Amino acid sequence: MEKIIIKNKMAIDKMRVAGNTLARLMHEIESMVQPGISTYELDDFFEKRMLQEGLMPVCKGYAGYKHATLISVNDVVVHGIPSKEIILKSGDFVKIDVVGAYKSYCADMARGFFVDEVSDTVKRLATTAQRALDAAISKIAPGVKLFDISYSIQQIVEHEGFGIVRDFAGHGIGKAIHEGPTIPNYGQAGRGIPLQVGMTLAIEPMITEKSYKIRIMPDGWTAKTIDGGLAAHVEDTIVVTATGAEVLTRLSGQ
Ligand code: MF3
Ligand code: CO
């Protein structure tokens, strides 16, 4: 497993700026997620706004990736590549995932958006992913075991009859996008390392309508459900505090 790095106040302050800025930009982009816009245009907007706000779009250049964001539509679970050919239409479920660094410290965030009216299944998937993330965050405190996070996500998602993707997981985050620990979205309560004050974690349930199995497209990135079922993904970066967790990728008061 990659190294777990406990952050000091200076590091957390930078990650808070990165997270808050991403949260603001996610809010800005919401009104642009409309029929007729391409995922390329959404990415372009996000990248330009990040640069204006002093955030480095660190996905760009990571493992040869060429864009600031990953935009995944409908049966694409994660890592969709922005494209001029992917034009949004009414009923689409769009997930935007982005990592931004402020003075070298990263925050990682994903949110789902509805294009006009979506199906009840989309609504239920989106709500369930958000509920699972919120429940996991509310469990976090020093001494809590890592897989208590995993377990709480699994409980909520499987209770709704949805699948949990096994091939990707949440992760520690800091100067690197991916640090230790790896945080699966399923697991046994009471297991894993104890959480400590100053750990910074990206928690990201990835859930599916039917089978949890995914397939990577020939582009090497796009991860789709094998059966064409819909998928949801939502992600926040948090820091473990003395009393619980502070979510760095939400605007204060949210
Ligand atoms: N949230 C994504 C993840 O944790 C970010 C990947 S960055 C990329 O997998 F560079 F790989 F695109
Ligand atoms: Co992530």
Side-chain angles (χ1 to χ4, degrees):
M1 188 163 54
E2 285 160 283
K3 228 179 129 195
I4 299 174
I5 300 164
I6 302 296
K7 309 303 186 296
N8 61 21
K9 184 177 179 312
M10 176 213 71
I12 294 164
D13 284 346
K14 290 175 183 164
M15 292 180 69
R16 188 181 291 111
V17 174
N20 250 268
T21 308
L22 290 183
R24 272 195 288 118
L25 299 187
M26 278 290 184
H27 187 67
E28 278 185 24
I29 209 164
E30 184 168 9
S31 63
M32 294 174 65
V33 183
Q34 296 283 348
I37 196 165
S38 71
T39 58
Y40 181 91
E41 289 170 280
L42 293 176
D43 177 76
D44 191 55
F45 172 81
F46 223 109
E47 179 173 359
K48 288 193 172 122
R49 290 291 295 115
M50 284 170 85
L51 292 170
Q52 283 171 359
E53 298 290 328
L55 278 200
M56 279 299 294
V58 283
C59 287
K60 203 169 183 169
Y62 181 91
Y65 191 70
K66 294 191 171 59
H67 306 274
T69 65
L70 304 110
I71 307 185
S72 306
V73 184
N74 298 335
D75 62 333
V76 179
V77 188
V78 286
H79 300 172
I81 301 177
S83 163
K84 288 179 179 163
E85 261 114 69
I86 304 175
I87 316 266
L88 300 183
K89 56 184 192 320
S90 201
D92 280 344
F93 182 31
V94 182
K95 288 85 66 176
I96 303 180
D97 186 0
V98 60
V99 186
Y102 179 73
K103 297 190 174 166
S104 304
Y105 280 89
C106 299
D108 190 353
M109 173 182 195
R111 289 287 185 272
F113 301 91
F114 301 156
V115 184
D116 288 344
E117 251 325 282
V118 294
S119 66
D120 286 347
T121 307
V122 167
K123 287 183 195 157
R124 206 158 61 83
L125 265 171
T127 311
T128 304
Q130 188 65 52
R131 262 207 305 128
L133 176 60
D134 292 347
I137 291 172
S138 73
K139 293 268 173 338
I140 292 173
V144 167
K145 298 291 173 60
L146 183 67
F147 295 156
D148 288 341
I149 297 176
S150 315
Y151 176 80
S152 73
I153 292 171
Q154 183 174 19
Q155 285 303 299
I156 288 174
V157 174
E158 290 184 346
H159 186 259
E160 284 293 321
F162 292 138
I164 291 156
V165 172
R166 265 56 172 172
D167 297 10
F168 297 105
H171 49 91
I173 180 167
K175 277 191 169 175
I177 299 179
H178 296 126
E179 295 179 354
T182 296
I183 312 166
N185 291 307
Y186 62 98
Q188 275 180 279
R191 299 286 184 95
I193 54 153
L195 301 180
Q196 283 176 55
V197 173
M199 282 183 178
T200 44
L201 309 174
I203 303 174
E204 48 179 323
M206 288 158 263
I207 76 171
T208 57
E209 180 188 358
K210 296 179 262 181
S211 168
Y212 62 71
K213 295 209 177 117
I214 58 142
R215 194 156 45 99
I216 309 289
M217 295 295 106
D219 62 28
W221 286 94
T222 308
K224 282 192 184 183
T225 57
I226 52 164
D227 54 16
L230 295 162
H233 172 220
V234 64
E235 176 171 21
D236 276 313
T237 297
I238 66 96
V239 55
V240 181
T241 66
T243 52
E246 178 189 344
V247 185
L248 301 177
T249 44
R250 292 185 198 176
L251 301 173
S252 20
Q254 277 192 314

